[in-house]
């Protein structure tokens, strides 16, 4: 059987399916088995909970750190509270099944903690909610797959791979990823590429068609998955996998080279990262800096906001790793397809057009200041950190962020803590509004980075994760290309540097256009650094300008893309 979807991350992955099914925690069909039976079920679920949670805590302690693991050991203590357990026992005595007892008592505590105006108490509410759902999953026998501990050679099959799930993924044991939703620039796709895992997304009804243990070949370059293939097909794909590896190995000669075109003109080639740990892979990949650190991933896969110290340590680690090189750190870009449960953000009908990114941060100055302080402090040592604001649409947002930054500086000054007084402040240009007033914005910020993932989404009015309109999502549309050209021109006229950190920066077909317009910096996923350097090295400025002129003379996306395919050797 062959399944087709969106080719989201290159490479061939071969392994066995592990299906991550959504949990149904509805217990309305559970019958009360009597006091003794329900109490035994409750006790056995508590023991299982403790055992699993202790194992998870130990795993996190070794992989992440002591503090993070204490969140989980704290949950064991909470559930171990004799008063809470006796309340659950009372509910069972009163005729409730174990599930209802857990549900009622946990919800009561969660509501109580949530109502207290204290950050620590609110975190407890999140913990109790977590205990509730994990206990219900154990009682109902719908315990979910722990993606941080998968058997080797797993092909992860899920309806959606949420960013928080991907953050905890055990990369070594995952051969490939298959999902039912998500586009090429959805965050699951971006993370799959960062982890260098082959991925095919938006495969219709993949969850129905696969079961655990099925043999799967995922071809992330072609966007297909072959289920339970015969020996011949398997042999064919093992060869393809080897060819892919060899092709990657050939690029290794570019690792220690400068990024120059065929005439020796230099470009900056940076990497996009989502965690401090990824900076290491970026440095190893030959990146000359970090062009985008998506800090929202620091806020995911945990139950509370990272403290100033935690954030400071993460930013400082990247800054030190990249000493002497630029590190552009984007402030919290939550919302859209990046949910952070404990922030309690309201559900929205149109989350990509909603209360997200800079909008959310400026409306929550206390949360935002923690991040700005951490960035200012982390910048003091190497002085290589630049702050970047996401989803800017107006000058007021830059001014608002700058005012908060000044407040933070004054606070740090008064506290006698070292910080980077001259830290540069730039913006992502990723909305049509920002692109159209790029000349005005350029006067009040220190640099631009073009976010083509969102700029394409908003210019084309196409949800970047929606497979049904995937064919309309294209950076080759003349509207998007003109927009990019205008932004680069505005930056040049204002004399500020301009980069691109959207996925388009790594598309070989666009490289001659970006070079011609004068893009200063390309920021791509670590896995695309060497291929981008190789592509740039092929171009003479005259040839690139000619290709650009031809492409910009065409009036449809298909025309532009078709022409560039023929003109650019990929
Ligand atoms: C973009 O929008 O192009 C971008 C780089 O940011 P993100 O993909 O995180 O939205
Ligand atoms: Mg964006």
């Amino acid at each position: 059987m062959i399944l087709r979807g969106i080719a989201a991350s290159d490479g061939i992955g071969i392994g066995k399916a592990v299906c991550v099914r959504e949990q149904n925690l509805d217990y309305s069909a559970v019958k009360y088995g009597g006091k003794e039976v329900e109490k035994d079920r409750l006790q056995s679920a508590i023991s299982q909970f403790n055992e699993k949670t202790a194992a998870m805590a130990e795993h996190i302690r070794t992989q992440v750190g002591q503090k993070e693991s204490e969140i989980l050991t704290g949950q064991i203590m909470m559930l171990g509270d004799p008063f809470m357990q006796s309340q659950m026992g009372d509910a069972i005595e009163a005729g409730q099944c174990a599930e209802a007892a857990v549900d009622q008592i946990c919800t009561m505590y969660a509501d109580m903690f949530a109502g207290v105006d204290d950050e620590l108490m609110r975190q407890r509410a999140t913990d109790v909610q977590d205990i509730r759902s994990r206990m219900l999953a154990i009682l109902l026998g719908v315990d979910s797959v722990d993606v941080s501990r998968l058997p080797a050679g797993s092909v992860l099959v899920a309806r959606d791979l949420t960013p928080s799930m991907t953050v905890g993924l055990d990369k070594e044991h995952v051969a490939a990823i298959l999902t039912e939703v998500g586009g090429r620039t959805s965050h699951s796709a971006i993370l799959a590429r960062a982890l260098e895992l082959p991925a095919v997304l938006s495969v219709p009804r993949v969850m129905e068609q696969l079961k655990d243990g099925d043999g799967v070949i995922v071809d992330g370059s072609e966007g297909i998955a072959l289920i339970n293939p015969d020996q011949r097909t398997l042999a064919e794909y093992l060869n393809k996998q080897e060819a892919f590896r060899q092709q990657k190995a050939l690029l290794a000669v570019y690792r220690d080279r400068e990024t120059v075109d065929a005439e020796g003109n230099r470009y900056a080639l940076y990497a996009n990262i989502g965690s401090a740990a990824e900076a290491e892979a970026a440095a190893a990949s030959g990146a000359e800096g970090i062009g985008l650190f998506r800090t929202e991933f620091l806020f995911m896969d945990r139950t509370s906001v990272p403290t100033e110290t935690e954030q400071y340590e993460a930013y400082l680690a990247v800054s030190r790793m990249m000493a002497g090189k630029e590190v552009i750190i984007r402030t919290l870009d939550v919302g859209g397809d990046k949910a952070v449960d404990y922030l309690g953000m309201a559900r929205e009908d149109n989350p990509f057009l909603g209360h997200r990114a800079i909008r959310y941060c400026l409306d929550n100055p206390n949360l935002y200041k923690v991040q700005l302080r951490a960035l200012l402090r982390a910048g003091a040592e190497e002085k290589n950190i630049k702050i970047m604001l996401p989803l800017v649409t107006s000058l007021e947002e830059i001014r608002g962020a700058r005012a908060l930054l000044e407040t933070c500086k004054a606070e740090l000054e008064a506290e006698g803590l070292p910080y980077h007084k001259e830290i540069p402040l730039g913006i992502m240009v990723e909305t049509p509004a920002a692109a159209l007033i790029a000349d005005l914005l350029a006067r009040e910020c220190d640099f631009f980075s073009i976010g083509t993932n969102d700029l394409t989404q908003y210019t084309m009015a196409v949800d970047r994760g929606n497979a049904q309109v995937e064919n309309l999502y294209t950076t080759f549309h003349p509207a998007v290309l003109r927009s990019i050209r205008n932004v680069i021109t505005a930056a040049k006229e204002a004399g500020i540097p301009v980069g691109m950190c959207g996925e388009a920066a790594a598309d070989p077909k666009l490289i001659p256009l970006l070079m011609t317009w004068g893009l200063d910096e390309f920021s791509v996923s670590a896995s695309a650094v060497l291929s981008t350097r190789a592509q740039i090295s092929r171009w003479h400025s005259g040839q690139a300008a000619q290709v650009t002129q031809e492409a910009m003379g065409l009036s449809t996306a298909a025309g532009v893309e078709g022409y560039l395919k023929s003109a650019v050797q990929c």
Side-chain angles (χ1 to χ4, degrees):
M1 178 169 54
I2 299 186
L3 303 177
R4 289 178 198 282
I6 293 169
S9 179
D10 282 346
I12 312 270
I14 302 174
K16 296 250 176 284
V18 175
C19 302
V20 184
R21 305 205 182 267
E22 268 159 43
Q23 292 171 304
N24 177 1
L25 299 181
D26 178 8
Y27 57 83
S28 51
V30 176
K31 297 225 164 31
Y32 182 63
K35 288 178 203 169
E36 293 315 316
V37 172
E38 296 300 332
K39 281 189 182 168
D40 283 352
R41 289 183 65 226
L42 178 67
Q43 282 313 319
S44 141
I46 292 174
S47 315
Q48 284 183 56
F49 177 94
N50 290 345
E51 211 176 291
K52 286 184 182 196
T53 311
M56 269 160 68
E58 181 52 22
H59 181 69
I60 289 183
R61 194 184 62 76
T62 52
Q63 302 287 313
V64 189
Q66 176 71 22
K67 260 187 276 161
E68 289 76 9
S69 81
E70 281 169 8
I71 295 171
L72 289 169
T73 44
Q75 289 188 356
I76 299 178
M77 275 165 64
M78 257 190 211
L79 185 59
D81 176 38
F83 189 59
M84 189 175 187
Q85 287 199 15
S86 81
Q87 285 174 304
M88 289 180 184
D90 290 348
I92 290 177
E93 290 276 345
Q96 308 271 27
C97 63
E99 286 85 350
V102 167
D103 185 16
Q104 265 176 23
I105 304 304
C106 287
T107 306
M108 181 187 82
Y109 275 96
D111 289 348
M112 191 176 81
F113 289 138
V116 182
D117 190 18
D118 175 273
E119 180 56 33
L120 213 70
M121 283 297 166
R122 279 202 298 271
Q123 280 170 32
R124 289 223 175 132
T126 317
D127 279 327
V128 184
Q129 289 291 14
D130 201 25
I131 293 174
R132 174 192 163 277
S133 43
R134 287 178 29 229
M135 278 290 287
L136 285 177
I138 294 173
L139 281 163
L140 292 163
V142 291
D143 217 2
S144 67
V145 175
D146 178 0
V147 293
S148 64
R149 332 189 81 197
L150 293 166
S154 297
V155 172
L156 205 64
V157 186
R159 203 188 86 74
D160 188 11
L161 191 72
T162 61
S164 65
M165 210 159 129
T166 328
V167 170
L169 208 66
D170 177 359
K171 178 187 165 186
E172 299 310 318
H173 288 173
V174 179
I177 295 168
L178 274 181
T179 69
E180 241 168 65
V181 301
R184 231 196 105 74
T185 62
S186 64
H187 285 92
S188 349
I190 289 171
L191 285 164
R193 286 196 286 280
L195 296 169
E196 298 195 40
L197 291 173
V200 179
L201 308 188
S202 278
V203 181
R205 298 187 299 111
V206 68
M207 295 294 284
E208 278 169 46
Q209 310 196 57
L210 280 181
K211 57 179 186 322
D212 286 336
D214 276 341
V216 188
I217 297 173
V218 174
D219 183 338
S221 314
E222 293 297 323
I224 57 174
L226 299 107
I227 316 305
N228 295 323
D230 56 30
Q231 284 305 321
R232 244 188 54 196
T233 315
L234 189 62
E236 183 192 330
Y237 274 88
L238 281 168
N239 284 340
K240 278 196 184 174
Q241 193 176 40
E242 187 47 35
F244 183 79
R245 276 198 198 120
Q246 284 179 6
Q247 204 188 347
K248 281 207 106 166
L250 283 180
L251 285 172
V253 294
Y254 286 94
R255 187 172 324 258
D256 298 316
R257 293 201 185 157
E258 289 190 328
T259 306
V260 285
D261 65 12
E263 291 159 29
N265 299 310
R266 280 206 68 157
Y267 292 86
L269 178 56
Y270 293 175
N272 296 342
I273 58 170
S275 67
E278 272 179 51
E280 214 175 311
S285 77
E288 299 151 21
I290 300 298
L292 168 64
F293 179 176
R294 290 182 165 94
T295 59
E296 49 280 6
F297 294 117
L298 285 181
F299 288 66
M300 292 176 180
D301 203 29
R302 49 184 295 144
T303 54
S304 61
V305 177
T307 61
E308 181 177 318
T309 310
E310 285 173 297
Q311 293 192 49
Y312 165 74
E313 282 168 1
Y315 307 146
L316 185 61
V318 179
S319 163
R320 282 183 177 158
M321 178 100 56
M322 291 283 155
K325 297 174 176 161
E326 270 184 359
V327 174
I328 301 178
I329 304 187
R330 178 174 76 185
T331 62
L332 184 62
D333 184 6
V334 277
D337 64 348
K338 289 173 289 194
V340 176
D341 289 343
Y342 60 79
L343 289 179
M345 295 168 80
R347 273 208 163 277
E348 298 175 304
D349 286 341
N350 289 303
F352 273 116
L353 301 181
H355 197 216
R356 56 169 291 210
I358 188 75
R359 305 167 182 183
Y360 177 83
C361 287
L362 290 176
D363 287 341
N364 290 279
N366 288 338
L367 175 101
Y368 202 24
K369 275 174 61 191
V370 172
Q371 182 167 43
L372 295 176
R373 282 174 56 103
L375 286 166
L376 281 163
R377 288 178 53 205
E381 200 175 288
E382 299 292 335
K383 299 208 165 35
N384 58 350
I385 292 180
K386 290 174 153 188
I387 299 179
M388 178 157 74
L389 311 176
L391 206 80
V392 167
T393 53
S394 69
L395 267 176
E396 287 90 330
E397 286 161 343
I398 302 180
R399 289 175 187 161
R402 201 180 281 287
L404 271 186
L405 200 59
E406 292 307 315
T407 310
C408 293
K409 287 183 190 172
E411 281 177 14
L412 293 170
E413 189 72 44
E415 290 163 36
L417 288 168
Y419 66 96
H420 187 193
K421 293 190 172 61
E422 309 296 331
I423 200 158
L425 180 69
I427 63 164
M428 300 228 17
V429 181
E430 54 179 344
T431 63
L436 287 167
I437 58 163
D439 56 332
L440 305 177
L441 299 176
R443 292 184 203 150
E444 297 201 23
C445 66
D446 300 315
F447 63 93
F448 281 166
S449 185
I450 307 175
T452 47
N453 305 340
D454 276 321
L455 187 60
T456 306
Q457 151 166 277
Y458 295 124
T459 303
M460 298 301 299
V462 171
D463 180 338
R464 63 197 255 190
N466 184 339
Q468 289 211 305
V469 283
E470 170 80 14
N471 59 332
L472 297 176
Y473 182 95
T474 167
T475 310
F476 298 102
H477 192 287
V480 183
L481 293 178
R482 287 179 193 198
S483 190
I484 294 172
R485 185 183 57 190
N486 292 347
V487 176
I488 299 177
T489 308
K492 298 271 123 185
E493 281 172 3
I496 61 167
V498 52
M500 177 177 285
C501 58
E503 296 299 302
D507 189 329
K509 298 188 283 308
L510 288 173
I511 285 175
L513 282 70
L514 300 174
M515 292 170 77
T516 302
W517 293 331
L519 192 79
D520 299 302
E521 166 234 308
F522 293 74
S523 191
V524 303
S525 68
S527 58
V529 167
L530 298 184
S531 56
T532 306
R533 186 170 289 145
Q535 284 294 337
I536 291 175
S537 74
R538 291 189 178 151
W539 290 97
H540 284 270
S541 58
Q543 288 165 341
Q546 208 177 341
V547 168
T548 305
Q549 199 185 356
E550 283 275 341
M552 294 306 282
L554 297 166
S555 39
T556 65
V560 175
E561 187 171 10
Y563 163 69
L564 288 174
K565 262 190 189 149
S566 66
V568 177
Q569 184 198 342
C570 296

